[in-house]
Amino acid sequence: MSEDTIRLVTIGRMLRRRWRLLATLTVVGALVGYGMSMVFPPRYTASASVLLPGQWEEREMLTQVDIATSSSVTDRAAAKLGWNGVDGSELRKRVSAKAADGNVITISGAAENPKRAQQLTNRVAKELVSFSARIAGGATDPAAAAGPEALRKKVQDTNRRITELAGAADPGRTVESVQARTALEKLRTSLEEAMKKLEETDPASDKAGMVLMDTAAKPTGQAPPTRLQLVVAGALLFFIVTVIAHLTAARMNRRLRGEAEIAAALGSKLLGTVDVPGDLRAHRAQGGGAKAGLRRLLGLDIRWDVPAPQKSGDEAVRRTRFRRVCAKLRNQLPAPRRLLVVVPDGDELALRAAGQLVAEAGSEPSATSSGRGYPMLRTVVVPVDRPIVPDRGSESGAVVVLSAGSWTAEELAGIAGACADGRHEIVGIVVAGPVLTGPARSAEGPPDHAAPALAVRGHATGGSA
């Protein structure tokens, strides 16, 4: 895992080099959001307000809210509306209610068009008022609702009967008559007090008469999420997920970039770094077909997680770097000999650097003489998945040329193992980096007798790692 801190410059570089992919996936996300809007058709919501007169506690208000969305109300509303395929259970999914300040209940209804939303909300509000009026009357049926009135009539009849009995009693002539008149008056008083308490405890006395304050107006806009919101949300979601995926991949990248890490993975020392004119496209694997064309179209053939190439000097400066690498090889070898230049397969930048290195080594006049000239080099391209290097023969030793940030420690360890199986000691490592070409200046060209770079695939017999 890379320990580099993700900075704004990293995000900016990703946006510049992956803008085609980001734009494509953003459009795909917008299309997905549009498809979701087709699966879930737009809804319109209307609202109506119902007032509850009198003093109401919070729990009583919540009870009325539950009643507004109960089957007792929605079933009657569905029957009055008479919509095909819409029953009370379906209306309960479309209707919601909440308690507002000032003993007000707000009822909301959702439907597929503004007119139906208005009709649904008004009908549910009216059914709630009607149902609450029946409850306030004492029962939900007319026979039970007539109970209190019948009781009052009974009390009035009883009072008249008491008056008749009191008048018929012998007024004050005997003790028994006085006691009877006293008992009748007490009974009359008790009946009057009972009726007074009954009227005071009647729920219809202070909590009846629920009023429909505001009828529902026809909605003018869709209820969220609208089609536009779904499209924007889909595009934004795909964009953010793509950015996070790129940053996560960069954070988890195990390719080695430091020269010390590369040298440690191959078990050898660094001879130097060389510059190769080119851009980030030199890092892409060679290939053709529709898949490669799609990668080029989306910009996936360019590495985004590496810095932009620095501007280089002229040709003479770049050749000086190659000559210094050849000089280090000559100084550390006990005698002139032939070496293999090992290049990982797919590393186009390293292959170009190897060709230039072979050409510079062959340009030394004393390379084939008895003097201490540069070693003779031959390039071999080694597959990384199953690396294999030719057995030791005319060449005895290997120089590994690769670009930084392209290979993991395990892949480089496999190449080192393949060199060991072929009995080749890795005498040095050369790291190639892309640079921008500077202004041309007259420089000494390669001599006519320079040996051409010979690139062959490693198919000879030998061990593999």
Side-chain angles (χ1 to χ4, degrees):
M1 179 180 294
S2 175
E3 298 297 333
D4 296 339
T5 304
I6 297 177
R7 301 181 177 88
L8 290 177
V9 65
T10 305
I11 300 177
R13 185 167 60 237
M14 181 202 65
L15 295 178
R16 288 194 306 270
R17 298 179 186 174
R18 286 289 189 268
W19 69 268
R20 294 181 182 178
L21 177 64
L22 291 171
T24 302
L25 293 180
T26 300
V27 173
V28 172
L31 293 177
V32 172
Y34 183 81
M36 293 295 292
S37 68
M38 301 297 292
V39 175
F40 301 99
R43 289 293 182 93
Y44 295 85
T45 302
S47 299
S49 300
V50 176
L51 175 64
L52 281 70
Q55 299 295 325
W56 293 80
E57 297 181 1
E58 182 179 359
R59 59 182 182 83
E60 294 175 327
M61 291 287 295
L62 295 178
T63 301
Q64 296 298 325
V65 169
D66 293 337
I67 293 175
T69 57
S70 65
S71 59
S72 300
V73 175
T74 56
D75 289 346
R76 288 180 172 84
K80 293 292 183 63
L81 291 173
W83 292 346
N84 293 330
V86 180
D87 55 4
S89 60
E90 177 66 22
L91 288 188
R92 281 196 295 274
K93 300 176 182 178
R94 301 185 181 187
V95 176
S96 62
K98 64 179 181 179
D101 296 335
N103 293 353
V104 176
I105 295 178
T106 302
I107 300 174
S108 301
E112 59 274 9
N113 59 66
K115 184 177 181 180
R116 280 201 166 194
Q118 182 186 29
Q119 293 175 350
L120 171 61
T121 304
N122 287 332
R123 176 49 57 186
V124 171
K126 291 178 181 178
E127 292 300 328
L128 173 62
V129 172
S130 176
F131 184 75
S132 297
R134 288 194 295 272
I135 294 179
T140 58
D141 57 281
E149 186 64 26
L151 180 60
R152 292 186 180 90
K153 291 182 179 180
K154 288 287 185 181
V155 171
Q156 291 175 0
D157 294 341
T158 303
N159 286 332
R160 285 195 298 271
R161 183 60 178 165
I162 290 173
T163 301
E164 293 174 357
L165 291 175
D170 188 8
R173 294 182 179 181
T174 62
V175 174
E176 290 79 3
S177 64
V178 172
Q179 292 177 345
R181 289 172 61 87
T182 303
L184 290 175
E185 290 298 329
K186 288 182 179 179
L187 178 60
R188 187 198 306 272
T189 303
S190 298
L191 287 176
E192 291 177 352
E193 291 178 353
M195 286 303 301
K196 184 177 180 181
K197 291 181 178 180
L198 180 62
E199 292 178 353
E200 290 177 352
T201 58
D202 187 3
S205 61
D206 61 348
K207 294 183 180 178
M210 186 180 291
V211 179
L212 179 61
M213 290 180 56
D214 297 324
T215 58
K218 185 179 294 186
T220 58
Q222 298 180 10
T226 63
R227 176 167 296 176
L228 179 60
Q229 291 174 340
L230 289 174
V231 170
V232 173
L236 186 61
L237 177 63
F238 272 59
F239 178 83
I240 293 176
V241 169
T242 304
V243 171
I244 294 176
H246 275 76
L247 296 179
T248 303
R251 188 69 177 173
M252 307 252 332
N253 187 8
R254 297 186 302 163
R255 295 186 178 96
L256 303 181
R257 298 182 183 179
E259 298 173 353
E261 296 174 338
I262 295 174
L266 290 171
S268 184
K269 63 181 180 179
L270 181 70
L271 295 176
T273 58
V274 294
D275 297 336
V276 179
D279 54 15
L280 296 174
R281 295 181 182 273
H283 288 274
R284 72 175 185 270
Q286 298 298 313
K291 185 176 181 180
L294 181 61
R295 288 177 59 86
R296 286 191 294 270
L297 179 63
L298 297 178
L300 298 178
D301 59 337
I302 302 177
R303 290 281 301 277
W304 73 269
D305 55 345
V306 294
Q310 300 295 323
K311 192 171 182 179
S312 174
D314 55 12
E315 180 67 20
V317 174
R318 291 191 294 272
R319 290 189 60 184
T320 300
R321 291 182 179 272
F322 284 96
R323 287 181 182 140
R324 289 177 179 176
V325 171
C326 293
K328 288 182 180 181
L329 280 174
R330 178 185 59 192
N331 294 334
Q332 76 177 26
L333 295 177
R337 58 179 176 176
R338 295 176 180 270
L339 299 175
L340 290 178
V341 179
V342 179
V343 179
D345 189 16
D347 199 335
E348 180 68 18
L349 193 68
L351 185 61
R352 293 168 58 185
Q356 183 67 25
L357 185 64
V358 172
E360 290 296 335
S363 66
E364 172 64 20
S366 60
T368 57
S369 64
S370 59
R372 289 275 296 166
Y374 294 156
M376 296 295 296
L377 304 179
R378 181 169 68 95
T379 304
V380 292
V381 179
V382 179
V384 179
D385 52 350
R386 294 179 60 87
I388 185 170
V389 176
D391 289 335
R392 180 170 180 172
S394 57
E395 295 90 6
S396 57
V399 178
V400 179
V401 181
L402 73 164
S403 59
S406 300
W407 311 104
T408 63
E410 292 79 5
E411 292 170 338
L412 296 183
I415 294 177
C419 293
D421 291 342
R423 295 177 297 168
H424 291 284
E425 176 191 2
I426 300 179
V427 298
I429 304 166
V430 179
V431 178
V435 294
L436 299 177
T437 306
R441 190 172 63 181
S442 60
E444 180 185 357
D448 296 338
H449 62 276
L454 179 61
V456 297
R457 300 282 174 177
H459 59 279
T461 58
S464 62

